[in-house]
Amino acid sequence: MLPPRPVMRGFAVLTHVFPIACLIMSLSSPVSPAAVAAPAVQPSSKVALERRADGQWQLLRNGRPFVINGVGGQRHLELLVQMGGNSFRTWGADDLDHKGPNGKSLLDQARELDLAVTIGIWLQHERHGFNYSDPAQLEKQREYVRGLVRRYRNEPSLLVWGLGNEMEGPTADGRDTRIWKELQVLAQIIKQEDPNHPVMTVIAGAGGAKVKALMENYTAIDILGVNAYGSAAGVGKALQEAGWQKPFVLTEFGPVGAWEVRHTSWNAPIEQSSQEKAANYYSTQKMVMEDSHGTCIGSYAFVWGNKQETTSTWYGMFAPTGEKMPSIDAMSYAWTGKWPENRSPRIRKFTTDLREAIVKPGQPFTGLLEATDAEKDTLTVEWTVVAESTDRREGGDDEAVPPSIPGCITRSEGLAVAGVAPTKTGPYRLFATVRDGKGGASIDNVPFLVK
């Protein structure tokens, strides 16, 4: 998938997905190696892989064992440290110089917080128009990679090079050997320029045919990154069955994917509740680390921010308005064995006559929540009716945010709501956002159809 891009508004941090052209550095006008090259100096960090006597793999960061407790995303970094995280990954290097609200670049913040960074090197996808059979395009991309490595190879916070993300295509079987053979060339370029940091490439899922084709054509890879959702806890077993013997990182995981869940009769995917998502994050983190036969060296939870993908809440670990969700509490507990000082509120039950219902235009409805807060904070609820997304994309590509429908909520009192369905026919969702007033929130939704 692709990551969200941040927009700063006042004191709230909202994140959205911008078009691909904004997300990656276009190779139609790449930065030349000379423009980005840094002087050759002694490395400021050294990261190595080691296989212990018991057969387990481990990362050594400046000589010390390092297990990745990471997230995908690059905002709220102080909170990441407070929650027990020690690393984050980017999908492309164009974000590294981005100035945060404190005026400091992403790498400045990483150094100050002692966060290790998997620096993503964005490689082009054929579904976006790139041609892996065109020598001119390949050469341009190779020079881009070389220049980028020269620029950042002495960065103290650099942990691993993230060479590409799902270039084989999120639904492809990986049998197109052009991709793997080109990755072999690019990985060798990185190793020539920087022998002090491992190379990781991220694929979508741990399909056996894909992994075997990779192993046959891409031997220079050091670490395999795998993005997985419903099947995330079983990635270690799947890789073992495919014959993978090097270390791996679970580079994206979280809720069950929108393509993996039950759908309504009108084909709307049923989103997990915020409580179910939190349980998914925790159980996946524990199982993948404990049941991978020593090959998993860490993980990156997705996504440390918020993005529109199927819905505005499906994958975000933060609410659209910036509050942390229960999934963050779950990851903190998985990393540290302790809950954060202030836990997000929890929605225990969401009752409404709109749940997966087919209703008439303007038909009245009611809803009721059961919600609790560990610190007994006063809870408030915001109810919203939103149109179902009609802009579904592949692999996390940018999606348009569907509109909210005004006039549907007629009364909201405590944890109860009353309203009327939209007058225009079509699919919708009723969202309930519970906030504790101290930076925590939970958001659940139910789909319904006006017909």
Side-chain angles (χ1 to χ4, degrees), residues 2-295:
L2 298 181
R5 294 299 298 263
V7 176
M8 309 304 299
R9 296 181 180 175
F11 294 101
V13 180
L14 309 185
T15 52
H16 306 275
V17 180
F18 282 63
I20 288 292
C22 296
L23 179 65
I24 60 177
M25 186 177 295
S26 172
L27 291 180
S28 61
S29 57
V31 179
S32 69
V36 298
V41 296
Q42 291 299 313
S44 298
S45 70
K46 186 172 183 178
V47 179
L49 286 163
E50 177 184 74
R51 195 162 198 174
R52 301 186 329 204
D54 59 5
Q56 295 197 16
W57 285 98
Q58 67 178 4
L59 270 181
L60 296 175
R61 186 187 184 204
N62 296 323
R64 296 182 178 180
F66 186 88
V67 177
I68 299 171
N69 292 332
V71 297
Q74 61 252 14
R75 292 297 178 267
H76 314 282
L77 295 183
E78 291 186 356
L79 181 63
L80 174 60
V81 174
Q82 292 172 19
M83 295 295 107
N86 61 16
S87 182
F88 64 91
R89 66 174 287 222
T90 71
W91 282 255
D94 56 320
D95 291 318
L96 297 178
D97 293 326
H98 175 80
K99 301 293 183 182
N102 56 8
K104 297 177 181 178
S105 74
L106 188 59
L107 291 178
D108 288 337
Q109 297 173 66
R111 289 185 218 107
E112 290 183 2
L113 296 170
D114 193 26
L115 286 168
V117 185
T118 287
I119 294 183
I121 301 177
W122 183 262
L123 300 182
Q124 297 288 334
H125 294 210
E126 289 209 316
R127 78 175 189 269
H128 300 146
F130 193 83
N131 183 358
Y132 275 86
S133 295
D134 183 342
Q137 291 187 55
L138 293 178
E139 185 58 32
K140 187 178 292 186
Q141 183 163 255
R142 291 171 187 174
E143 290 306 301
Y144 167 71
V145 170
R146 188 184 300 277
L148 191 146
V149 172
R150 287 179 178 177
R151 180 176 182 183
Y152 292 110
R153 62 190 173 188
N154 298 306
E155 167 55 43
S157 61
L158 172 59
L159 183 72
V160 171
W161 293 108
L163 181 62
N165 186 78
E166 299 184 4
M167 296 79 52
E168 80 281 9
T171 60
D173 62 9
R175 297 181 189 272
D176 186 348
T177 60
R178 296 176 305 150
I179 306 295
W180 310 127
K181 289 178 179 179
E182 182 56 24
L183 282 164
Q184 175 76 3
V185 173
L186 295 173
Q188 289 173 332
I189 289 173
I190 294 175
K191 290 173 181 292
Q192 291 168 1
E193 298 293 339
D194 178 17
N196 296 300
H197 299 92
V199 176
M200 176 175 73
T201 289
V202 175
I203 62 174
K210 181 185 297 187
V211 174
K212 289 177 181 177
L214 182 151
M215 289 190 296
E216 291 172 0
N217 297 279
Y218 182 16
T219 58
I221 186 174
D222 298 308
I223 304 166
L224 182 61
V226 179
N227 294 342
Y229 290 85
S231 62
V235 164
K237 182 179 180 181
L239 290 177
Q240 185 183 32
E241 291 175 349
W244 183 257
Q245 296 183 355
K246 293 181 180 180
F248 80 92
V249 173
L250 188 61
T251 40
E252 286 183 20
F253 72 99
V256 177
W259 62 93
E260 300 170 305
V261 298
R262 183 173 63 85
H263 286 54
T264 65
S265 60
W266 59 92
N267 204 34
I270 310 299
E271 184 171 348
Q272 289 181 298
S273 71
S274 52
Q275 280 291 92
E276 290 171 329
K277 291 177 186 178
N280 256 41
Y281 278 95
Y282 178 82
S283 62
T284 298
Q285 172 70 16
K286 300 300 286 186
M287 290 180 69
V288 79
M289 294 301 297
E290 295 174 3
D291 193 33
S292 296
H293 307 283
T295 56

Side-chain angles (χ1 to χ4, degrees), residues 303-361:
V303 59
W304 194 256
N306 175 268
K307 67 177 299 192
Q308 167 65 39
E309 188 171 343
T310 307
T311 72
S312 63
T313 56
W314 201 291
Y315 301 100
M317 299 176 77
F318 289 83
T321 44
E323 296 90 351
K324 72 177 178 67
M325 299 282 278
S327 54
I328 291 179
D329 298 347
M331 287 307 302
S332 181
Y333 191 74
W335 289 333
T336 69
K338 298 179 181 179
W339 293 109
E341 290 185 7
N342 186 76
R343 295 178 63 179
S344 296
R346 288 171 287 174
I347 299 174
R348 296 196 175 276
K349 192 174 182 179
F350 184 176
T351 304
T352 175
D353 43 7
L354 286 182
R355 184 179 293 276
E356 300 178 44
I358 299 176
V359 301
K360 296 179 180 180

